[in-house]
Amino acid sequence: MNHPMETDDALPLECENLERFLGQEEARVHVLRGVSLALQRGYTHAVVGPSGCGKSSLLYILGLLDRPDAGQLAIGGRPVAGLRDDELSRQRNELLGFIFQFHFLLQDFTALENIMIPMRQLGRWNEPTMRDRAAHLLDAVGLGNKLHRPSRHLSGGEQQRVAIARALANDPEVILADEPTGNLYTANSTRVFTLLTELVRRENKALLLVTHNPAIASACDWVLTMSDGQIVEQQYNPRDRESDKSDHVGE
Amino acid sequence: MRPSLYIGLRFTVSRKRSLLFSLLGVIFGVAFYIVLQAQTQGFEQYFIKTILGTSGAIVVSDRYQNRYTTFDNAQGGTVMSGQQRRKYYEGITDAAEIMRVARQFPNVLACAPLVQGNITARGDFQTEIMTVQGIDLELQLRATALRDQIIAGNLNDFRVNPSGLMLGSLLADKLQLKVGDNVTLLGNGGERKAMTLSAVFRSGVNAIDERRGYVTTRVAQALLEKPSMISQIIVTLRDPDRAPAMSMHFERLFGHRARSWQEREQGNLQVFSTLRISAAITVSLIIMLAGALIFNTLTMTVLDKVREIAILRSMGYRRLDITVVFVFQGFIIATLGSILGAGFGALLTYGISQIPIKVRGVLYADRFLVAWDVHHYIYAAIIAFFAVLTASYFPARRAANLAPVDILRGSGQ
Ligand SMILES: Nc1ncnc2c1ncn2[C@@H]1O[C@H](COP(=O)(O)OP(=O)(O)O)[C@@H](O)[C@H]1O
Ligand SMILES: [Mg+2]
């Protein structure tokens, strides 16, 4: 194997001194000013900070959708600098699950079909397996009764839950979520967050979640506070991980 | 199914309406292409068949002698192209020998000798200049389609009556003659023969039907005052497409001029091929228009689906996959359009071939002549695929090159 570092011990995602400028000439903005962080398996990480501080920009880079102007990024211990677009696409498909603030489903497809779309690209499972998996995921986000509803006929909140299920479709190592519960009602917000947390702990995944919801943030293992393109504080919330039910969130 | 094909298919199905016009464009373009080619080639094939059935694939005529011009190569002067200057002598010297040798060629089906010249025909009411051909009936029947060209009277009258005459249908009309009527043939030297009209033939090519008449070899030789002369040998071939090469070979072998049907009918054949090409170009424009419609529809789809494209990319679909999603939509249209267009084109071709329309002029026919040729269908499909795939490629590339992060940022995050 080319990468002896690529073991379960390697950090699922880490970055160092990420810099990013956006815009041209006078409008050029220094959006990320040396961001370093490491995600740990089995832990949930919240990113909080005022609007415009660079949270989304950071997530795009961590999600391999954008490239930093400087700094290093490694996924599963493997640096991604210099990788070809096709290889980045493959890693997005296999290792990363992305949840956007706005739902973005494929309009012409049903809820179930939407969830199967990343699985088809992955090509690991056969059709019935993909179908079962997708149904199971939809059930987990409370949409077990709307599998075959065309996505354009789902409410905003329902679409967001489909998008969350879709991010989990390929069993990713890292889940990146940009204000995913922003437009969910409290009950659903709790349910979805609980689902993500349980998944992360049970299956040893890593979650990075941008949120404005203080209850959700404080229920995460780590809270990273961003300000003006920098992480200014990293706070660890120790908890008894065996007995934790995380059901105190979102009250 | 590859996921990008699956997505492309679903996009196509959900945009049926807007893609319908492009599809119709391809269907009509392909169908019209096929119909027009079937027609132009139908007439062309009929013409060629008539020419081959009337004058054979190769006509061997006058004897020639090469005249070698000497060039002064020693002084480094130009060497001429090797084209020799020739002196021609009218008629064929040893027709029997030439036919014997020609028949040894596997590609040669039959040979028939004939005497040809211009004379005057005088009926009771009219007088016309005509081209008389003195034939050996049995050999002529084997080498040509004469038997099928008889439309009045019968061959047996000609066979048994030494003063029998057969006239082309238009010539018989001009002379106002019916089978059984008497005709006087006048040679230019004053020779005259009293003949009886045994039969009327119609080759279908008007230039022949309004001038030609057949008599026996002996009568023609007498009228033309060239006893024992043979002017031409008609050679028919199993594979008429090889006539040009064979005629060149014959020319050298026999020392006589030999002309293939392609050479003799060059002018007419060029008209047909020009017609065919111009029809093909005209109809290709319809298919191009369908391509433009596809381009437009797909460009709109790409604009409409930028967010979905960004999402697909974020889920790990590669640029190539996105290209395929959109090109595949064009592929579906081209495939459906070619299949339906071919069916529609075949139907139209059949319908047109059933229209009872009198074609007069260069050719004589009672129906629209059509050719059934699988190449028309293949070419139509090739043009359709080329136009549609080219038209789909550019929107597809545009979709593939969208940077997902720009779209996601632009969406308000
Ligand atoms: N294309 C762009 N050109 C210039 N500046 C941009 C561009 N996109 C975003 N920005 C700026 O980058 C900063 C960070 O944006 P973003 O990452 O979306 O912040 P957050 O998600 O924390 O609200 C903001 O100040 C925003 O105005
Ligand atoms: Mg943001």
Side-chain angles (χ1 to χ4, degrees), chain A residues 57-237:
Chain A
S57 301
L58 175 63
L59 248 65
Y60 295 142
I61 291 175
L62 300 182
L64 306 181
L65 290 166
D66 194 14
R67 290 179 195 258
D69 294 308
Q72 283 88 45
L73 171 63
I75 304 226
R78 300 165 66 179
V80 298
L83 289 182
R84 281 160 33 88
D85 193 67
D86 285 2
E87 176 58 20
L88 294 179
S89 297
R90 195 187 64 76
Q91 293 203 7
R92 284 201 295 270
N93 182 246
E94 285 184 13
L95 304 172
L96 303 176
F98 219 122
I99 305 165
F100 300 96
Q101 181 172 10
F102 299 95
H103 17 83
F104 294 134
L105 298 182
L106 301 201
Q107 295 301 307
D108 302 328
F109 296 75
T110 64
L112 194 79
E113 289 165 342
N114 261 285
I115 296 179
M116 290 166 72
I117 282 174
M119 301 188 204
R120 290 181 190 282
Q121 180 72 350
L122 184 67
R124 183 183 297 161
W125 302 296
N126 63 20
E127 188 84 16
T129 311
M130 291 194 290
R131 204 163 277 281
D132 284 355
R133 217 184 132 70
H136 187 78
L137 283 165
L138 278 174
D139 203 36
V141 294
L143 291 172
N145 56 340
K146 292 180 178 168
L147 304 183
H148 302 294
R149 182 84 51 105
S151 63
R152 66 172 99 244
H153 295 154
L154 294 171
S155 75
E158 288 168 338
Q159 291 195 30
Q160 184 60 302
R161 282 184 280 156
V162 175
I164 290 166
R166 184 182 60 192
L168 304 177
N170 285 356
D171 195 22
E173 295 294 303
V174 177
I175 302 153
L176 300 168
D178 198 351
E179 303 184 38
T181 57
N183 47 15
L184 293 183
Y185 293 108
T186 313
N188 280 324
S189 165
T190 308
R191 173 179 192 147
V192 161
F193 180 71
T194 306
L195 168 80
L196 289 173
T197 309
E198 280 174 0
L199 183 91
V200 163
R201 299 200 173 141
R202 188 177 66 242
E203 303 193 6
N204 225 20
K205 311 288 186 194
L207 169 71
L208 182 65
L209 171 102
V210 173
T211 182
H212 284 302
N213 183 332
I216 287 181
S218 61
C220 286
D221 301 316
W222 285 91
V223 180
L224 316 181
T225 306
M226 267 188 90
S227 172
D228 200 16
Q230 286 176 314
I231 293 179
V232 291
E233 190 189 344
Q234 302 203 21
Q235 188 202 332
Y236 181 54
N237 300 328

